[in-house]
Amino acid sequence: MTVNVLFSARPTLWPVYEPLLTKGLTEAGVDFRLGPDFEPDQVDYVVYAPNGGLLDFTPYTRLKAVLSLWAGVEKIADNDSLTVPLARMVDHGLTQGMTEWVVGHVLRYHLGMDQHITVQDGNWTPDAPPLATERQVCVLGLGALGKATAHALAALNFNVTGWSRSAKDIAGITCMHGEEGLGAALSQAEIVVLLLPDTPATVNTLNSETLALLPKGACIINPGRGPLIDDDALLTALNSGQVGHATLDVFRVEPLPPEHPYWAHPNVTVTPHIASETRPVTAAQVICENIRRGEVGEPFLHLVNRDLGY
Ligand SMILES: NC(=O)c1ccc[n+]([C@@H]2O[C@H](COP(=O)([O-])OP(=O)(O)OC[C@H]3O[C@@H](n4cnc5c(N)ncnc54)[C@H](OP(=O)(O)O)[C@@H]3O)[C@@H](O)[C@H]2O)c1
């Protein structure tokens, strides 16, 4: 039977994904119709992003699954009108992009690059940076993105500690978990990378108490989600020197309003949610594989645990 695949994402992405999904579904042997408009009760799968505007899944009576183009699913995970499986995006391209972005920003801090890029005042100060083996980096979140990032940093010889909800054993990474593990993970961390999802349990993971656990002058890199950090606590910690610098890619309100104190703070780098994005070529393969699985009765990849919110 023909399956109808609704593309519900930013309209400008439709011409990009249309040929990729057509090719992938054809190669997967799926008999399909694909488009940005269907009668709701005719739709079998939704290729979904929040900016497609779809909020109420109630009329989608024959829906088999919703396949997110985004890794972060906080905008849909608690949608009560959705009663079928929800898969999030795990995409090699997205992972590679995030790894490159985080490694770049870690190296900026580790090597003290700003000193020589921004200060060219005729003073010859020959202080070489330490080696990565002498630097402690902590990655909060050891999922698809955090684990790949931790591996890349460990490959550069950083001392990497990772923190997750459940216990893990990852070669080359000191793994900690749970509430009790967070303090231990942060207490050594000269550079902290946040790659947690936005869930009720992760809101304000960095707050005044946890920021106080960091070694003085630690640097923070947040490509996860804005609510992971208590903004007022971070600004206080930046102003006191407890936190040396923060690179923030994600915010509670996006675009970050021009009047927000982060923009003007000398020790904050704001980037406009560009750490990494879903790459259509590789992401379309993941979507098509999940539709193929759905049609032959195999388990979907990358299912979201709706109770946990990620
Ligand atoms: N800025 C950007 O451009 C951009 C791009 C893509 C994604 N993101 C963000 O990156 C996030 C992570 O993506 P991902 O694909 O790596 O997610 P993921 O595979 O679902 O991994 C999430 C990780 O966070 C851990 N975690 C969840 N709740 C926790 C808690 N309460 N305490 C401790 N650890 C917890 C999980 O622990 P377990 O392993 O024990 O489950 C897991 O290791 C996304 O949710 C999204 O918000 C940002």
Side-chain angles (χ1 to χ4, degrees):
M1 195 170 129
T2 303
V3 296
N4 292 328
V5 180
L6 173 68
F7 186 83
S8 179
R10 185 155 45 89
T12 52
L13 287 179
W14 168 238
V16 178
Y17 275 94
E18 199 256 335
L20 297 168
L21 293 171
T22 298
K23 179 170 180 283
L25 290 170
T26 304
E27 287 174 359
V30 177
D31 178 12
F32 68 96
R33 290 195 301 148
L34 173 68
D37 289 304
F38 280 104
E39 288 302 318
D41 64 358
Q42 297 300 304
V43 174
D44 296 283
Y45 296 93
V46 176
V47 179
Y48 171 88
N51 44 26
L54 180 48
L55 291 173
D56 183 8
F57 291 91
T58 316
Y60 291 75
T61 48
R62 77 178 221 194
L63 197 58
K64 296 173 182 166
V66 170
L67 310 171
S68 173
L69 288 172
W70 290 15
V73 289
E74 69 278 0
K75 288 189 162 69
I76 185 175
D78 64 354
N79 185 328
D80 290 335
S81 73
L82 180 63
T83 55
V84 297
L86 168 66
R88 56 191 209 86
M89 181 49 65
V90 177
D91 156 36
H92 292 307
L94 174 71
T95 303
Q96 183 186 338
M98 183 61 79
T99 303
E100 292 175 7
W101 189 88
V102 171
V103 167
H105 285 278
V106 167
L107 286 172
R108 170 193 176 193
Y109 286 141
H110 168 61
L111 297 174
M113 287 179 173
D114 288 16
Q115 175 63 24
H116 302 292
I117 291 172
T118 62
V119 185
Q120 295 276 300
D121 59 0
N123 277 318
W124 185 263
T125 49
D127 301 322
L131 294 174
T133 41
E134 299 162 296
R135 185 74 71 190
Q136 303 284 340
V137 183
C138 176
V139 181
L140 302 181
L142 288 172
L145 301 178
K147 187 175 169 188
T149 298
H151 274 311
L153 292 167
L156 289 172
N157 296 319
F158 286 103
N159 291 299
V160 183
T161 297
W163 181 70
S164 53
R165 186 181 53 80
S166 56
K168 300 210 184 302
D169 184 6
I170 304 173
I173 315 290
T174 304
C175 294
M176 306 200 175
H177 69 280
E179 261 179 58
E180 65 293 348
L182 181 61
L186 292 180
S187 64
Q188 305 288 318
E190 296 169 272
I191 302 172
V192 182
V193 179
L194 290 106
L195 277 168
L196 296 162
D198 174 10
T199 73
T202 62
V203 170
N204 292 339
T205 296
L206 291 189
N207 53 44
S208 53
E209 283 93 50
T210 52
L211 288 167
L213 300 172
L214 293 167
K216 195 168 174 65
C219 295
I220 290 169
I221 301 172
N222 184 15
R225 281 294 184 262
L228 300 176
I229 300 179
D230 177 333
D231 295 314
D232 290 338
L234 177 57
L235 285 163
T236 301
L238 283 159
N239 291 336
S240 72
Q242 170 60 13
V243 171
H245 204 281
T247 294
L248 307 174
D249 185 57
V250 284
F251 305 91
R252 280 183 161 77
V253 176
E254 295 182 7
L256 184 67
E259 65 278 10
H260 196 285
Y262 282 149
W263 282 114
H265 201 290
N267 292 346
V268 174
T269 298
V270 170
T271 60
H273 202 143
I274 44 75
S276 189
E277 64 178 8
T278 302
R279 312 288 155 157
V281 171
T282 39
Q285 292 167 0
V286 177
I287 298 286
C288 294
E289 170 60 9
N290 255 344
I291 293 174
R292 185 198 69 75
R293 284 171 169 253
E295 289 311 292
V296 298
E298 292 178 20
F300 291 113
L301 299 171
H302 317 310
L303 281 180
V304 173
N305 179 328
R306 304 280 301 279
D307 293 331
L308 294 173
Y310 73 99

